[in-house]
Amino acid sequence: QVQLVESGGGLVQPGGSLRLSCAASGSIFSINAMAWYRQAPGKQRELVARVVIGGSTNYADSVKGRFTIPRDNAKNTVYLQMNSLKSEDTAVYYCNVLTTVTVATGHYRNLELWGQGTLVTVSS
């Protein structure tokens, strides 16, 4: 059993801040990459931020300088810190994790996991 649980969404005024969290649970051996996507009604799903563990961190141009993607490796948790929020940031945000899980002693499997989504609404 492996799953992601997201939290932290809500209503915020333009210029405000929110922090989303995504906690992975289950027989996780390692986290290989973490990312956040978002999708607004009528629009295509968009990659917001991605971090490859041991590699690079990338942000969409639309959020550079405003969003960061900190993590707590010990807790298998990734965050999306959102500052200076704009109305165009309104969307359902989804956590995505590439992980190696333990399926049996000495046996592992790579999985792609998705959170359930959390709604962020930026409005005055």
Side-chain angles (χ1 to χ4, degrees):
Q1 294 181 302
V2 181
Q3 65 176 8
L4 304 179
V5 178
E6 299 182 36
S7 63
L11 175 65
V12 63
Q13 293 184 336
S17 297
L18 280 176
R19 188 172 77 162
L20 309 182
S21 65
C22 175
S25 62
S27 56
I28 297 172
F29 179 77
S30 65
I31 301 294
N32 306 312
M34 300 175 173
W36 288 94
Y37 292 80
R38 68 185 181 187
Q39 187 168 25
K43 295 186 177 180
Q44 190 174 7
R45 186 181 65 178
E46 173 190 24
L47 176 64
V48 177
R50 177 182 176 88
V51 55
V52 177
I53 308 305
S56 61
T57 302
N58 299 291
Y59 298 92
D61 288 341
S62 59
V63 307
K64 284 183 178 178
R66 300 188 297 119
F67 291 10
T68 59
I69 185 170
R71 67 185 188 274
D72 186 335
N73 292 334
K75 297 181 178 180
N76 290 324
T77 300
V78 61
Y79 306 90
L80 184 65
Q81 179 64 49
M82 304 183 292
N83 301 319
S84 302
L85 283 162
K86 306 174 181 178
S87 60
E88 51 262 44
D89 295 318
T90 297
V92 176
Y93 285 72
Y94 297 93
C95 178
N96 174 266
V97 175
L98 299 180
T99 181
T100 299
V101 300
T102 304
V103 297
T105 302
H107 297 268
Y108 309 94
R109 181 177 297 165
N110 293 328
L111 297 177
E112 182 181 21
L113 305 176
W114 289 92
Q116 80 278 10
T118 185
L119 176 63
V120 173
T121 302
V122 184
S123 176
S124 60

